[in-house]
Amino acid sequence: MFIESKYTDSMYPKVTVIVVYYNSTKRRDLIKENILSIKDMDYSNKEVIMVDNGSQDDTYNLIRTETEGLGFKVIKSEENTYWAGGNNLAFRNSPPDTKYYLLVNPDVMVQSDAVKNLVEMMENEPRLGACQGRIIRGWPKGFLDVGRYIGEDGQLYYPNYVRGIDINREYLITYPAGALAILRAEFPKRRGFIFHEIGMMGFDDSVLGIELYMNGYIVKYYPFMTGYHEVSAFTPREVKESYSSVMRFLFLMSINTRYSRYVREYYLSNYIRENIRKNILMNRGANPDRFSRAYSKAKEIHSRLKIHLDLYKAPHLKIPLSAFLLDLFSAELRRRIYNTSKFSLVIPPGLEGV
């Protein structure tokens, strides 16, 4: 997709670039590449805010050294407030004339023309609350991140699960990948924060996407390249997986779909299945207590957060009852069956043809 600009440099609005780092010295090479790509952005009207999110290593000094003389703002948090909290800290320290926030992960290399292209999409569509372009992922190797959908079952799905999606054309998505996305500033400015903070990873970019639709915005994917994402360079996958069960329960508790009422059954089926694997099949990797802890944690967060998400106001995937029931019985069996099929994308009334 070639974009012919109608703007001059002086016409582009202020963009605040936010990057949140945590214990990042183990991959100094990536941090250097990440900072260099931000420095080389073909976009002059920007403020760059980098947050050391309570790192226990020398990340803060590494960022300060690598950004010396660049005019970037480096902030040190005294504690790890996770990705959501780190972005909120940068938000509170951003210039008042910021029109857009560019969210960048520390293991992302931004393509030089990405910001201009994303800004022009936002400027051309006043209803656009957030968007993303095409992102090459390092894991799975060569996989393209081209937007995300949420299913009625509370699961994340990539567009390759969807019937009729052409990644060479723009289309509506439920939410953009927080690794490299642009957000219209008026929405977080109005409510005073970008993301809800829950004291762990997850429950951030996906929730924001639905909230944008609930407030009259739309979210899109555009078919131009914006960067490369190493994926999990600084967060071990086992740590992400430990949070994933909490997030699944919390999402089912927070959305209003036809499967939300079965969150307790979803917990019990997982707990029973893990007990069978552990005590009958003698599988050493089985851990029923993980689901008990995740379910309890999700209930605690939900009662405190009191958030209610209307998924049916956003583009979402219609998930057959058979797929949900399979998930209660065996997530692996469900994946084997449904990886070879496609789900139906539902566009809410009023958004058709957008």
Side-chain angles (χ1 to χ4, degrees):
M1 179 178 181
F2 174 73
I3 300 175
E4 184 176 351
S5 177
K6 62 180 180 181
Y7 295 85
T8 63
D9 281 350
S10 61
M11 296 170 62
Y12 283 100
K14 174 62 69 67
V15 172
T16 293
V17 182
I18 301 176
V19 195
V20 180
Y21 303 88
Y22 177 71
N23 287 353
S24 303
T25 56
K26 59 185 177 183
R27 291 296 307 272
R28 291 173 180 267
D29 58 327
L30 273 183
I31 295 302
K32 291 179 180 181
E33 289 183 59
N34 167 255
I35 292 172
L36 182 62
S37 74
I38 294 170
K39 167 185 170 292
D40 289 343
M41 284 178 180
D42 184 19
Y43 200 93
S44 58
N45 192 13
K46 67 179 183 292
E47 170 90 346
V48 180
I49 302 179
M50 298 184 160
V51 177
D52 172 37
N53 207 9
S55 295
Q56 304 301 306
D57 61 8
D58 202 34
T59 294
Y60 178 70
N61 288 326
L62 171 61
I63 300 169
R64 288 288 300 271
T65 299
E66 294 299 325
T67 60
E68 187 175 359
L70 298 181
F72 295 176
K73 183 184 292 184
V74 181
I75 300 174
K76 182 174 177 60
S77 173
E78 295 306 314
E79 60 178 331
N80 179 15
T81 57
Y82 298 89
W83 189 72
N87 277 280
N88 286 342
L89 177 59
F91 164 78
R92 293 192 295 271
N93 285 272
S94 62
D97 60 339
T98 296
K99 188 171 183 180
Y100 302 109
Y101 291 101
L102 184 76
L103 309 180
V104 181
N105 271 14
D107 58 348
V108 163
M109 274 54 77
V110 186
Q111 191 160 301
S112 61
D113 62 353
V115 190
K116 279 188 176 180
N117 290 340
L118 290 170
V119 166
E120 292 196 17
M121 297 302 103
M122 300 292 281
E123 290 285 282
N124 290 333
E125 176 53 80
R127 292 179 64 192
L128 197 57
C131 71
Q132 74 164 85
R134 187 175 296 178
I135 306 165
I136 299 175
R137 289 169 55 104
W139 185 87
K141 189 174 178 59
F143 186 86
L144 290 178
D145 190 328
V146 290
R148 316 285 177 85
Y149 291 105
I150 297 293
E152 291 179 298
D153 57 350
Q155 288 273 35
L156 153 68
Y157 294 91
Y158 289 99
N160 57 300
Y161 282 94
V162 184
R163 295 190 187 99
I165 286 290
D166 180 1
I167 66 169
N168 296 309
R169 303 184 65 174
E170 66 184 71
Y171 47 77
L172 293 171
I173 53 179
T174 312
Y175 71 97
L180 180 53
I182 195 165
L183 168 67
R184 192 175 297 274
E186 64 186 26
F187 179 61
K189 284 182 177 181
R190 191 163 69 235
R191 67 178 186 171
F193 61 92
I194 297 178
F195 298 113
H196 296 280
E197 297 181 37
I198 64 171
M200 61 173 57
M201 293 176 59
F203 210 68
D204 32 52
D205 49 4
S206 55
V207 172
L208 178 62
I210 297 172
E211 289 178 318
L212 285 169
Y213 281 102
M214 290 171 63
N215 283 273
Y217 298 95
I218 60 174
V219 184
K220 275 188 172 183
Y221 155 80
Y222 289 96
F224 51 79
M225 197 65 66
T226 54
Y228 169 83
H229 184 199
E230 181 77 6
V231 184
S232 299
F234 303 107
T235 305
R237 292 194 181 94
E238 59 268 21
V239 174
K240 285 189 172 183
E241 289 171 1
S242 70
Y243 292 135
S244 65
S245 295
V246 180
M247 294 306 108
R248 179 73 191 284
F249 289 131
L250 182 56
F251 218 85
L252 278 173
M253 293 172 187
S254 302
I255 59 178
N256 63 330
T257 76
R258 54 183 172 155
Y259 298 128
S260 300
R261 70 188 72 176
Y262 300 116
V263 62
R264 187 169 182 272
E265 286 77 6
Y266 180 74
Y267 155 65
L268 289 172
S269 68
N270 279 282
Y271 182 75
I272 293 169
R273 182 174 67 235
E274 287 298 284
N275 266 294
I276 292 173
R277 292 177 65 223
K278 179 179 180 179
N279 299 311
I280 297 178
L281 302 179
M282 300 302 174
N283 188 320
R284 293 184 178 181
N287 185 4
D289 291 339
R290 175 169 69 92
F291 288 96
S292 296
R293 291 193 297 269
Y295 184 57
S296 296
K297 184 64 177 178
K299 288 199 295 183
E300 181 271 318
I301 294 172
H302 183 62
S303 64
R304 169 168 48 86
L305 201 58
K306 294 182 171 61
I307 186 171
H308 301 283
L309 302 170
D310 189 353
L311 182 64
Y312 293 123
K313 287 190 179 297
H316 61 276
L317 299 191
K318 185 176 182 180
I319 305 300
L321 178 62
S322 55
F324 184 76
L325 293 176
L326 275 172
D327 204 16
L328 295 181
F329 175 71
S330 170
E332 180 58 34
L333 178 60
R334 173 189 171 282
R335 277 192 292 269
R336 288 180 185 178
I337 293 175
Y338 280 92
N339 273 357
T340 60
S341 64
K342 301 283 185 180
F343 294 122
S344 297
L345 175 63
V346 178
I347 303 297
L351 296 180
E352 301 96 335
V354 173

